[in-house]
């Protein structure tokens, strides 16, 4: 809830007392002054409102110390509006000791009251060195859990590593190591490397554990040997039976270890180029792995009976594909299909879930869901979604709208366009600059003589952000028009886009038109550090290839890498694979969920960004 939503009567009752908190201590005969914070420990037995009322018997710093006691009791008794009102007012206390002791209580009050934007700002602005030592561990724990809930795994990992360094045990926080492991496994290789800067020996032990588990996933013997070596190197770390539960399960689960993989793709017909791109990605991934399985490629443009017969004849023990929607539906419904299968398309929600069926698609709905989550984390209230009038963009628009409403918001404003003129009209009407221009002309007509009226058109201020779903050309038309339509004195209106807006072929002049645009994209297309060597190899083989085929190459590469991880991810939903197509996890229905990277155009060039 926002501060403006505090109960009016409570707010009025607090005003007199809290306004006087800034006064200097004025001892009187009938009002004793308590100067030692330790003399007033909070107790659950005393009602928070009674403690709040008793604070009137004191002045200056002593009164604020008693208010801290009341706030702590209010939190313990779940009287969150009272706790929020007190701690919010004490945040600006002139007494350093009050501000310091109030910081943890203020964070707890924000989190309990769903004031997530304020909590985020507080966490970012707090210097941990200023916190009382007694509050530091709890502040780190509360902050880390908040970041984890917001899916900000890098920030959560930083704080959990600090907490682990302080505690050296999970006795006080039994969930510490499990939560730390969950966040570390969600990080990209680049983020894990970032955490190495100024890391302690204990921090490095956790980071090395995350990296070795990732490098050996699906290879049980190698993983167990790596863990033995890790314990020998870091004897001060948790014993094997105290390691995070997810890691222990990872060790005991037997992964898929196929020796012959059947790959069913449309090698003939209109989708032959798509099939070849996927094939190249699969072969590249297999050739880089020791003891790789044999890949048997089968044309999907034949009857299901012929496909089944060929798979049996080739003694296949795992299947990748098919790719095309109708073929996926037919094969996934076969009751006697004996092979564990990674289908290269989305799951039909009307079909029952089967334990050995997995579905991996470059789903654009994943991007829309990710954007809705970002807007929620940024506390946007009135986003607008503008979509090109085509099936894919409009499908993403509707998915964003449904996700936004599922997060508890009203339906966002939705617009569609087909041509440039229609797009410009949408922006003009949306920002109401046309109304402002008409108003200026009307007033100018009333001004007599040669008097010149100087006025700027004004745009709407209630829109938080724009989410554009369009191709690269449409995006380059749209972004500059929004920039010139927003009043120069108003806050900048953030504009976001999907991977559909991105093109790797833009020159510096074209990128200049997109300055300020933030979008989602797969790591492979952004040339992230973790894939640089593979990208160089790829470009030597394919000097000029369509961007759609580049994405399918990355999909094929990830599909092979996923096989050894599917069973683990099926049992451990928090486990994330940092692939070329995104951070890949598995949902309860066996569908691969992608979280893409964030990028933005700044100063006429493309840069990677951390969102939110």
């Amino acid at each position: 809830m926002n501060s403006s939503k505090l109960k009016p009567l409570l707010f009025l009752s607090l005003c007199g007392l809290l306004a006087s908190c800034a006064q200097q201590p004025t001892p009187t005969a009938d009002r004793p002054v308590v100067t030692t914070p330790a003399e007033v420990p909070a107790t659950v037995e005393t009602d928070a409102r009674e403690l709040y009322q008793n604070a009137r018997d004191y002045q200056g710093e002593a009164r604020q110390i008693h208010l801290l006691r009341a706030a702590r009791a209010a939190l313990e008794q779940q009287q969150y509006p009272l706790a929020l009102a007190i701690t919010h007012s004490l945040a600006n206390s002139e007494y350093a000791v009050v501000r310091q002791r109030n910081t943890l209580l203020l964070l707890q009050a924000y989190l309990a009251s769903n004031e997530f934007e304020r909590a985020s700002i507080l966490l970012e602005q707090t210097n941990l060195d200023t916190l009382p030592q007694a509050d530091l561990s709890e502040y780190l724990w509360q902050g880390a859990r908040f970041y984890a809930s917001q899916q900000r795994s890098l920030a959560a990992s930083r704080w959990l590593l600090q907490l682990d360094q302080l505690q050296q045990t999970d006795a006080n926080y039994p969930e510490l190591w499990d939560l730390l492991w969950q966040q570390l496994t969600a990080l990209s290789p680049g983020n894990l490397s970032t955490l190495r800067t100024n890391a302690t020996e204990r921090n490095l032990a956790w980071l090395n554990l995350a990296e070795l588990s990732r490098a050996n996933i699906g290879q049980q013997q190698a993983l167990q040997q790596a863990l033995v070596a890790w314990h020998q190197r870091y004897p001060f770390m948790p014993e094997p039976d105290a390691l995070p539960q997810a890691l222990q399960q990872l060790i005991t689960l037997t992964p898929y270890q196929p020796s012959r993989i059947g790959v069913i793709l449309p090698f003939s017909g209109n989708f032959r180029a798509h099939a070849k791109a996927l094939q190249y990605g699969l072969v590249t991934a297999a050739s880089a792995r020791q003891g790789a399985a044999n890949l048997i490629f089968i044309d999907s443009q034949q009857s299901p009976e012929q496909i089944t017969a060929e798979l049996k004849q080739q003694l296949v023990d795992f299947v990748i594909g098919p790719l095309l929607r109708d073929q996926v539906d037919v094969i996934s419904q076969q009751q006697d299909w004996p092979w564990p299968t990674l289908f290269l398309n989305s799951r039909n929600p009307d079909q029952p879930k089967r334990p050995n069926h997995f579905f991996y698609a470059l789903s654009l709905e994943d991007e829309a869901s990710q954007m809705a989550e970002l807007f929620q984390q940024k506390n946007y209230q009135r986003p607008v979604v503008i979509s090109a009038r085509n099936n894919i963009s409009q499908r993403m628009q509707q998915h964003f709208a449904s996700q936004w409403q599922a997060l508890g918001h009203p339906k966002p404003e939705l617009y569609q366009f087909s041509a440039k003129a229609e797009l410009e009209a949408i922006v003009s009407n949306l920002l109401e600059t046309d109304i402002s221009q008409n108003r200026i002309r009307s007033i100018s007509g009333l001004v007599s003589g040669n008097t010149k009226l100087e006025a700027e058109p004004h745009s709407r201020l209630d829109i938080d952000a724009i989410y554009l779903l369009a191709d690269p050309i449409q995006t380059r038309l749209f972004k500059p028009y929004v920039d010139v339509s927003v009043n120069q004195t108003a806050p900048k209106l953030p504009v976001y886009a999907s991977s559909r807006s991105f093109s790797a072929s833009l020159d510096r002049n074209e990128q200049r038109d997109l300055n300020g645009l933030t979008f989602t994209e797969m790591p492979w297309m952004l040339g992230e550090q973790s894939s640089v060597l593979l990208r160089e190899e790829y470009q030597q083989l394919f000097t000029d290839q369509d961007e759609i085929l580049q994405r399918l190459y990355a999909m094929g590469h990830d599909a092979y890498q996923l096989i050894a991880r599917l069973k683990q991810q099926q049992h451990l939903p928090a486990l994330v694979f940092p692939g070329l197509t995104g951070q890949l996890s598995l949902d309860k229905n066996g569908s691969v969920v992608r979280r893409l990277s964030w990028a933005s155009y700044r100063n006429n060039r493309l840069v990677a960004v951390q969102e939110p």
Side-chain angles (χ1 to χ4, degrees):
M1 79 179 207
N2 294 320
S3 297
S4 59
K5 296 180 181 178
L6 294 176
K7 295 179 181 178
L9 290 177
L10 173 61
F11 180 75
L12 290 173
S13 67
L14 287 170
C15 284
L17 178 60
L18 299 183
S20 64
C21 285
Q23 297 176 5
Q24 294 297 320
T26 308
T28 63
D30 58 343
R31 291 187 180 178
V33 175
V34 178
T35 58
T36 306
E39 294 176 8
V40 284
T43 58
V44 180
E45 289 78 8
T46 307
D47 183 72
R49 282 185 170 78
E50 181 181 344
L51 292 171
Y52 158 68
Q53 294 293 337
N54 291 344
R56 296 181 178 183
D57 295 332
Y58 302 88
Q59 294 292 327
E61 183 179 8
R63 174 179 287 180
Q64 294 185 25
I65 294 296
H66 278 78
L67 285 173
L68 286 172
R69 183 188 181 197
R72 186 176 295 108
L75 286 167
E76 292 172 346
Q77 296 164 17
Q78 299 183 12
Q79 298 183 39
Y80 299 134
L82 177 61
L84 181 59
I86 296 173
T87 55
H88 193 67
S89 69
L90 294 180
N92 297 316
S93 170
E94 68 273 33
Y95 303 108
V97 67
V98 172
R99 292 195 305 273
Q100 292 165 2
R101 294 185 61 196
N102 183 62
T103 305
L104 173 60
L105 300 177
L106 179 60
L107 175 62
Q108 292 172 325
Y110 281 155
L111 296 177
S113 305
N114 295 329
E115 286 269 14
F116 297 140
E117 184 179 19
R118 292 180 184 274
S120 181
I121 293 172
L122 177 64
L123 290 168
E124 290 167 6
Q125 293 181 347
T126 299
N127 182 350
L128 296 179
D129 294 336
T130 66
L131 291 176
Q133 196 63 30
D135 289 349
L136 181 56
S137 290
E138 185 64 20
Y139 193 82
L140 287 169
W141 177 242
Q142 296 285 344
R145 291 180 63 193
F146 167 73
Y147 283 135
S149 71
Q150 299 286 297
Q151 296 184 320
R152 298 170 64 176
S153 294
L154 181 59
S157 297
R158 286 188 193 280
W159 285 48
L160 290 166
L161 286 170
Q162 289 186 66
L163 178 58
D164 175 70
Q165 184 66 41
L166 281 175
Q167 295 286 311
Q168 307 269 320
T169 174
D170 65 346
N172 294 325
Y173 298 94
E175 300 173 13
L176 171 58
W177 291 341
D178 285 335
L179 183 60
L180 172 58
W181 186 252
Q182 181 187 81
Q183 299 309 303
L184 290 176
T185 56
L187 294 179
S188 68
N191 283 339
L192 280 176
S193 296
T194 298
L195 291 173
R196 289 183 169 274
T197 304
N198 298 324
T200 65
E201 188 72 4
R202 190 175 177 88
N203 291 166
L204 289 173
W206 281 113
L207 297 175
N208 288 338
L209 183 61
E211 289 169 346
L212 73 85
S213 68
R214 186 172 292 181
N216 295 289
I217 192 170
Q219 304 174 73
Q220 299 308 90
Q221 185 175 357
L223 178 57
Q224 290 173 356
Q225 291 173 351
L227 280 171
V228 170
W230 178 82
H231 270 113
Q232 291 173 345
R233 182 178 179 184
Y234 304 106
F236 51 85
M237 292 299 285
E239 293 299 317
D241 59 352
L243 287 172
Q245 286 296 312
L247 178 57
Q248 294 188 49
Q249 292 178 45
L250 191 64
I251 298 169
T252 58
L253 276 174
T254 302
Y256 290 116
Q257 296 173 314
S259 58
R260 298 176 67 81
I261 300 173
V263 183
I264 308 171
L265 293 172
F267 289 108
S268 60
N270 295 334
F271 295 95
R272 182 176 182 276
H274 299 75
K276 298 298 287 185
L278 283 160
Q279 182 183 34
Y280 294 146
L282 286 160
V283 170
T284 303
S287 62
R289 195 175 184 97
Q290 194 173 21
N294 291 325
L295 298 176
I296 293 89
F297 294 98
I298 298 171
D299 191 354
S300 65
Q301 305 293 67
Q302 52 186 323
S303 71
E305 292 76 16
Q306 290 173 307
I307 292 173
T308 300
E310 190 166 353
L311 290 171
K312 289 180 178 178
Q313 181 183 353
Q314 293 289 347
L315 302 177
V316 160
D317 48 3
F318 194 96
V319 172
I320 296 176
L323 172 67
L324 305 182
R325 172 80 272 163
D326 57 338
Q327 295 171 352
V328 169
D329 288 343
V330 169
I331 288 181
S332 63
Q333 291 179 42
Q334 290 188 20
Q335 295 301 315
D336 57 349
W337 185 263
W339 301 281
T341 303
L342 177 61
F343 296 96
L344 299 180
N345 211 313
S346 56
R347 174 179 173 272
N348 184 337
D350 296 329
Q351 291 186 21
K353 177 183 177 298
R354 296 174 66 178
N356 291 323
H357 283 193
F358 306 92
F359 298 84
Y360 173 33
L362 300 183
S363 171
L364 292 169
E365 281 84 354
D366 286 346
E367 293 191 55
S369 295
Q370 188 173 338
M371 194 64 70
E373 291 171 6
L374 175 73
F375 284 10
Q376 168 87 345
Q377 291 163 10
K378 286 185 171 289
N379 203 31
Y380 293 151
Q381 301 298 319
R382 293 288 302 275
V384 171
V385 190
I386 300 177
S387 160
R389 197 173 277 113
N390 59 61
N391 289 336
I392 294 177
S393 296
Q394 289 184 276
R395 197 176 76 216
M396 291 182 70
Q397 184 184 60
Q398 291 302 320
H399 187 78
F400 175 92
S402 64
Q403 290 296 108
W404 187 245
Q405 290 174 281
L407 291 171
H409 300 279
K411 184 177 181 180
E413 293 185 45
L414 306 178
Y415 299 89
Q416 297 86 33
F417 69 92
S418 297
K420 176 184 176 182
E422 194 174 4
L423 180 59
E424 291 179 351
I426 287 173
V427 174
S428 182
N429 291 332
L430 172 64
L431 299 178
E432 296 182 354
T433 50
D434 53 343
I435 297 174
S436 182
Q437 291 278 16
N438 291 335
R439 190 179 301 116
I440 292 171
R441 283 193 289 268
S442 298
I443 297 174
S444 297
L446 298 175
V447 177
S448 59
N450 296 322
T451 304
K452 185 178 180 181
L453 178 67
E454 295 185 5
E456 283 188 3
H458 287 268
S459 54
R460 280 176 63 181
L461 299 178
D462 62 326
I463 297 173
D464 293 310
I466 293 177
Y467 184 24
L468 176 67
L469 301 166
D471 65 31
I473 295 175
Q474 293 166 332
T475 303
R476 292 204 308 275
L477 290 172
F478 175 83
K479 182 63 172 62
Y481 194 69
V482 170
D483 291 342
V484 300
S485 298
V486 175
N487 181 26
Q488 297 302 306
T489 61
K492 277 206 165 190
L493 182 61
V495 179
Y496 297 86
S498 72
S499 61
R500 291 181 57 77
S501 290
F502 175 67
S503 172
S505 62
L506 297 182
D507 60 32
R508 292 295 292 271
N509 288 331
E510 292 169 324
Q511 290 180 351
R512 180 182 59 203
D513 292 337
L514 298 175
N515 277 336
L517 180 75
T518 301
F519 61 97
T520 45
E521 182 56 278
M522 63 171 63
W524 174 245
M525 299 303 294
L526 296 175
E528 291 188 3
Q529 190 64 36
S530 57
S531 62
V532 167
L533 294 178
L534 184 60
R535 169 63 72 175
E536 291 175 356
E537 178 184 338
Y538 174 87
Q539 289 175 337
Q540 289 175 359
L541 293 173
F542 312 103
T543 55
D544 183 25
Q545 192 168 88
D546 181 272
E547 289 185 10
I548 293 177
L549 300 184
Q550 291 188 46
R551 296 174 193 278
L552 290 172
Y553 170 89
M555 183 185 187
H557 194 280
D558 282 356
Y560 186 88
Q561 302 273 42
L562 277 170
I563 294 173
R565 295 167 166 82
L566 288 173
K567 193 170 288 186
Q568 279 79 356
Q569 291 187 293
Q570 188 175 38
H571 288 84
L572 306 169
L575 198 62
V576 176
F577 167 57
L580 300 182
T581 59
Q583 301 291 310
L584 308 181
S585 59
L586 206 64
D587 71 12
K588 62 182 180 180
N589 294 314
S591 294
V592 175
V593 178
R594 294 189 305 145
R595 290 194 68 81
L596 282 79
S597 297
W598 295 98
S600 182
Y601 291 100
R602 297 177 182 176
N603 299 320
N604 308 336
R605 65 189 184 92
L606 183 65
V607 296
V609 295
Q610 290 289 334
E611 287 285 3

